[in-house]
Amino acid sequence: VIAAGAIDVHTHFVPSSVPPYGGAGNDAPWPSIDHHSSCCARVMIGGRVFREIDSNCWDGERRLAEMAPMRIGVQCLSPMPELLSYWMAAEDCLALCRHVNDEIAATVAASGGRFRGFGMVPLQQGDLAIRELHRCVDELGLDGVEIGTNVDGRPIGDPLFAPFFAAAETLSATIFVHPLRAAGMDRLIGPPALEQVVAFPCETALAIASMMTGGTLARHPALKLIFSHGGGAFAQLLPRLQHAWSFLPTLQAATGEAPEVLARRLYYDSLVYSPVALRFLIDQFGVSQILVGTDYPFAILDRTPVDGVEALDLSTADESAVLRGNALRLLGERD
Amino acid sequence: VIAAGAIDVHTHFVPSSVPPYGGAGNDAPWPSIDHHSSCCARVMIGGRVFREIDSNCWDGERRLAEMAPMRIGVQCLSPMPELLSYWMAAEDCLALCRHVNDEIAATVAASGGRFRGFGMVPLQQGDLAIRELHRCVDELGLDGVEIGTNVDGRPIGDPLFAPFFAAAETLSATIFVHPLRAAGMDRLIGPPALEQVVAFPCETALAIASMMTGGTLARHPALKLIFSHGGGAFAQLLPRLQHAWSFLPTLQAATGEAPEVLARRLYYDSLVYSPVALRFLIDQFGVSQILVGTDYPFAILDRTPVDGVEALDLSTADESAVLRGNALRLLGERD
């Protein structure tokens, strides 16, 4: 069962606590949650403050109260990306995955259809990742998992990850792709926030391109992929990639199918902070591929996601598809 | 004097020959031109074939003949980017710059206003770069210079390059920015062409962002900058940067002015291979900031640049601005 209203596929979750590190490593960058006040906490990783967070990271009641003014009916919960922990030993990462996935599943189960959930897997080791993906979908009832755009610098289009995507396709699991440890950091001049603000969209664009040029998308036409932040900068890369593809046999061999065809099989959230940019996504990818996303509850969130869609003056059917119908189709639900 | 017709600001030039290396280094990656047949040549760098080129890289008559079917009246010549040679010793690079700049200037001078020219400078050493920029503009009559998006990995927004941009602003020289040795190469899966096809637009986007967040654009409001390939993926980065700027004091301090204001001071070529993508540039940056660009004579060129602009159904005045008027204003010419 799924609740009424707009479906926000891009929101993050942090559990209210994490058990102490139980692995065998030294200096594993294992997270802990330091509850320094009643409303707030610090995510500590490797002894340093990674981020100050509010209780809306884990508190379902608070989330539900804050969804109302945003005109969101259903949130898909996914881990705060830094929790993905591809840089840990795989067994340690798996232990963290299991805890976070259990917490997300419990929060979803208690929500009466107001929350759906994406879990996390230790993608640095394929067999463990596939096993935990099965647990997420078959045992915990999650809709799929969040993954990063790269695993310790390897883009997700690397053939190394082919078995994982084959399993995801078979399971009909939704894969929500979020940028992480972005490329191009040496090109940034300015405050640390530029990684998220400026490098993330390029990182995501390169990840989508790698999924095409590494052959993953042609091999797995039924794979259900959502790319965050509207696919980053990919909509602007696509015409150039398509043009080059039209005359370069090496590119044609790499992608298997035309980039503009492959691009219209992927899903993209609406988190682009501009009606003009959102219209561009619809023009490039098709209205059937766009979902609402907000980055709730973090600082960069879009507080008026539904207004942003309404500002486009789409037809009633198209508007409804973006706000809810496309997500229902992806999640295998019907009204 | 400038000839009639559409003005293509993005075309490349390679001299028909390069004098032998005359510097003091060992293994300097000095280029040579191997004329292996009557029409064609190989650019050799460091003993390896860098690219097969045709005589239209240096032959003005052939260029003029090929401009006609493209409906281009005037080409701005700029060096093939690999010639920029920021990875050479600065004195060696300067010697190459002087040769290439002389050759471009001679080709422009013989063209009766059909060609304009952008030279090149050894940006790895600021004082030499400023001196050669002066020679290009004051002695050779060039309109400015082409620069890369980074100099050996340092983005052009690094304060290290501030004196160069101050000089360019004072001279009213046009700076044509082209991607080079792109960031994110470790994120590519597939054929080597992906550097140009996929990594270049992100590289350019990050370079524009660095010019904002490093403070260059606020410090030099009269700087005349053209970004190639429509600014790469920057039009999609801009709304996210603007949104983050609206609430992050660190970003406000870094850019000095709002990103969306700064973005509308820059020029962008039309080389995006899609009317929808070109319309997006106009919406994001303003019709007054868009110029025709084609990448002539290389394989990825847009053969129908004027048709691409006409497909937008702009007003007559706006269409004329994109095809010619904006470039005239930038180059300081009048009809």
Side-chain angles (χ1 to χ4, degrees):
Chain A
V1 68
I2 187 163
I7 301 172
D8 179 357
V9 301
H10 184 166
T11 83
H12 294 298
F13 178 89
V14 182
S16 63
S17 68
V18 175
Y21 178 64
N26 292 316
D27 300 324
W30 186 264
S32 64
I33 314 296
D34 171 22
H35 291 267
H36 63 83
S37 73
S38 61
C39 68
C40 307
R42 294 184 189 102
V43 179
M44 307 293 295
I45 299 180
R48 296 188 312 114
V49 178
F50 170 72
R51 185 176 290 174
E52 291 275 351
I53 58 174
D54 284 2
S55 61
N56 53 8
C57 278
W58 63 82
D59 181 339
E61 291 303 319
R62 218 185 126 190
R63 295 180 80 105
L64 292 172
E66 292 179 352
M67 285 155 61
M70 292 172 68
R71 305 173 61 197
I72 294 295
V74 177
Q75 279 187 347
C76 301
L77 314 184
S78 60
M80 178 175 76
E82 191 71 11
L83 294 173
L84 293 175
S85 302
Y86 299 145
W87 38 90
M88 269 192 216
E91 290 286 352
D92 289 347
C93 178
L94 176 63
L96 184 61
C97 289
R98 293 180 62 94
H99 174 70
V100 172
N101 293 340
D102 289 348
E103 293 283 315
I104 289 177
T107 307
V108 169
S111 75
R114 301 292 305 277
F115 298 141
R116 304 289 287 227
F118 300 133
M120 57 186 257
V121 295
L123 205 51
Q124 62 269 60
Q125 191 173 321
D127 56 336
L128 294 187
I130 291 169
R131 210 182 314 155
E132 184 63 10
L133 175 66
H134 273 272
R135 195 179 78 93
C136 284
V137 174
D138 295 337
E139 298 180 27
L140 299 181
L142 300 179
D143 291 299
V145 295
E146 173 186 68
I147 67 170
T149 42
N150 73 86
V151 178
D152 282 333
R154 268 180 207 271
I156 52 174
D158 191 308
L160 188 71
F161 306 114
F164 172 77
F165 290 115
E169 185 186 36
T170 302
L171 271 171
S172 200
T174 295
I175 308 294
F176 174 61
V177 185
H178 198 286
L180 186 69
R181 309 273 169 118
M185 294 297 292
D186 57 339
R187 295 297 199 272
L188 307 182
I189 303 288
L194 289 174
E195 178 178 7
Q196 299 201 0
V197 175
V198 159
F200 269 14
C202 289
E203 168 70 18
T204 302
L206 294 175
I208 298 174
S210 82
M211 292 289 275
M212 293 185 176
T213 60
T216 309
L217 298 186
R219 276 194 305 272
H220 303 294
L223 193 54
K224 304 198 307 195
L225 288 159
I226 305 173
F227 287 91
S228 49
H229 314 117
F234 185 73
Q236 278 197 289
L237 263 57
L238 180 59
R240 184 172 171 88
L241 181 57
Q242 177 65 32
H243 174 74
W245 186 92
S246 72
F247 69 91
L248 286 178
T250 55
L251 262 184
Q252 291 164 8
T255 66
E257 292 178 76
E260 66 187 9
V261 171
L262 297 172
R264 285 173 173 261
R265 273 187 212 150
L266 309 177
Y267 290 83
Y268 310 85
D269 75 24
S270 62
L271 190 51
V272 295
Y273 306 103
S274 150
V276 169
L278 185 53
R279 161 58 67 187
F280 181 55
L281 294 190
I282 291 172
D283 289 343
Q284 290 290 73
F285 301 138
V287 74
S288 62
Q289 306 311 112
I290 311 297
L291 311 165
V292 174
T294 66
D295 238 334
Y296 176 94
F298 295 140
I300 201 165
L301 92 164
D302 179 356
R303 293 176 192 279
T304 56
V306 177
D307 309 63
V309 174
E310 289 173 350
L312 299 181
D313 280 326
L314 300 171
S315 71
T316 306
D318 284 351
E319 185 175 292
S320 168
V322 171
L323 294 176
R324 182 169 170 87
N326 295 338
L328 285 181
R329 190 172 74 250
L330 190 64
L331 299 173
E333 297 284 350
R334 305 174 70 166
D335 267 327
Chain B
V1 67
I2 189 163
I7 301 173
D8 179 356
V9 301
H10 184 166
T11 82
H12 294 297
F13 178 89
V14 182
S16 63
S17 68
V18 175
Y21 178 64
N26 292 316
D27 299 325
W30 186 262
S32 64
I33 314 296
D34 171 21
H35 291 267
H36 63 82
S37 73
S38 60
C39 68
C40 307
R42 293 184 190 103
V43 179
M44 309 292 296
I45 299 181
R48 296 187 312 114
V49 178
F50 169 72
R51 185 176 288 173
E52 293 273 352
I53 58 173
D54 284 2
S55 61
N56 53 8
C57 278
W58 63 82
D59 181 339
E61 291 301 319
R62 216 182 129 191
R63 295 180 80 107
L64 292 172
E66 292 179 351
M67 285 155 62
M70 291 171 71
R71 306 173 61 195
I72 295 294
V74 177
Q75 279 187 346
C76 301
L77 314 184
S78 60
M80 178 176 76
E82 192 70 13
L83 294 173
L84 294 175
S85 303
Y86 299 145
W87 38 89
M88 269 191 217
E91 290 287 351
D92 289 348
C93 178
L94 176 62
L96 184 62
C97 289
R98 293 182 61 94
H99 174 70
V100 172
N101 293 340
D102 289 348
E103 293 282 315
I104 289 177
T107 308
V108 168
S111 75
R114 302 293 304 278
F115 298 141
R116 305 289 287 227
F118 301 133
M120 56 186 260
V121 295
L123 205 51
Q124 62 269 61
Q125 191 173 322
D127 56 337
L128 295 187
I130 291 169
R131 210 183 313 156
E132 184 63 10
L133 174 66
H134 273 272
R135 196 179 77 93
C136 284
V137 174
D138 295 336
E139 298 180 27
L140 299 180
L142 299 179
D143 291 299
V145 295
E146 173 186 70
I147 67 171
T149 42
N150 74 85
V151 178
D152 281 332
R154 267 181 208 270
I156 52 173
D158 191 309
L160 188 71
F161 306 114
F164 173 77
F165 290 114
E169 185 186 37
T170 302
L171 271 172
S172 199
T174 295
I175 308 295
F176 175 62
V177 185
H178 198 285
L180 185 70
R181 309 273 170 118
M185 294 297 293
D186 57 339
R187 295 297 199 273
L188 306 182
I189 303 287
L194 288 174
E195 178 178 8
Q196 299 201 1
V197 175
V198 158
F200 268 15
C202 289
E203 168 70 19
T204 302
L206 293 175
I208 298 174
S210 81
M211 292 289 275
M212 293 185 177
T213 59
T216 310
L217 298 186
R219 276 194 305 272
H220 302 295
L223 193 54
K224 303 197 310 194
L225 288 159
I226 305 173
F227 287 90
S228 49
H229 314 118
F234 185 73
Q236 278 197 290
L237 262 57
L238 180 59
R240 184 171 171 88
L241 181 57
Q242 177 65 32
H243 174 73
W245 186 92
S246 72
F247 69 90
L248 286 179
T250 55
L251 262 183
Q252 292 164 7
T255 66
E257 292 178 75
E260 65 187 10
V261 170
L262 297 172
R264 286 173 173 259
R265 272 187 213 151
L266 308 177
Y267 291 82
Y268 310 85
D269 75 26
S270 62
L271 191 51
V272 294
Y273 306 101
S274 149
V276 169
L278 185 53
R279 161 59 68 189
F280 181 55
L281 294 190
I282 291 172
D283 290 342
Q284 291 289 73
F285 301 138
V287 74
S288 62
Q289 307 310 113
I290 311 298
L291 312 165
V292 173
T294 65
D295 238 333
Y296 176 93
F298 295 139
I300 202 165
L301 93 164
D302 179 355
R303 293 175 192 280
T304 56
V306 176
D307 309 63
V309 174
E310 289 173 349
L312 300 181
D313 281 326
L314 300 171
S315 70
T316 306
D318 284 351
E319 187 176 290
S320 168
V322 171
L323 295 177
R324 182 169 169 88
N326 295 338
L328 286 181
R329 191 173 71 251
L330 190 64
L331 299 173
E333 297 284 351
R334 304 174 71 165
D335 268 328

